[in-house]
Amino acid sequence: WWTNNTENGNEEVMFRASNDGGHHFGDKINLSNSPDTQSQTAEILTVGDSVFVTWWELNENVHPHTNESVLRVSTDAGQTFGPVINLGTNGTITTAGNNSTTATTS
């Protein structure tokens, strides 16, 4: 889901995994963790133990404004996620550093 109920007041993409059919959920993970942009329109796809989460990063602090489609992938049923992958409009795919994410309590 995406929410603006965060410490920095902007929209972030959040995730919680369940491994028992929705009876219990793990700790929430902030997948976007982007204090300078608005993370919106999250979508999710699962295939076996792989979880794919995409969303849009809108940066209104630059001119012209940017709107980037990004992706994070988990191969362990949502327990951890790889880095943010920027899905470029010209066919170029880049990663935004080495920022793997694991669940944390808050």
Side-chain angles (χ1 to χ4, degrees):
W1 75 94
W2 75 93
T3 180
N4 66 357
N5 189 18
T6 61
E7 292 175 12
N8 57 18
N10 72 321
E11 293 179 329
E12 299 282 2
V13 174
M14 309 302 284
F15 178 85
R16 290 180 75 182
S18 173
N19 294 317
D20 62 4
H23 294 286
H24 301 91
F25 285 85
D27 297 329
K28 70 179 176 180
I29 301 171
N30 183 340
L31 291 180
S32 56
N33 198 21
S34 54
D36 295 331
T37 62
Q38 299 296 327
S39 305
Q40 304 172 336
T41 319
E43 296 189 29
I44 188 169
L45 169 72
T46 62
V47 179
D49 283 344
S50 295
V51 180
F52 304 87
V53 181
T54 64
W55 67 91
W56 289 92
E57 289 286 337
L58 173 62
N59 188 344
E60 297 175 330
N61 297 323
V62 296
H63 186 74
H65 299 165
T66 61
N67 201 7
E68 299 284 334
S69 178
V70 296
L71 164 76
R72 290 200 65 184
V73 179
S74 170
T75 57
D76 58 7
Q79 299 305 302
T80 61
F81 282 83
V84 172
I85 300 171
N86 296 324
L87 304 173
T89 57
N90 63 357
T92 304
I93 298 175
T94 59
T95 58
N98 224 359
N99 58 345
S100 297
T101 302
T102 57
T104 58
T105 48
S106 4

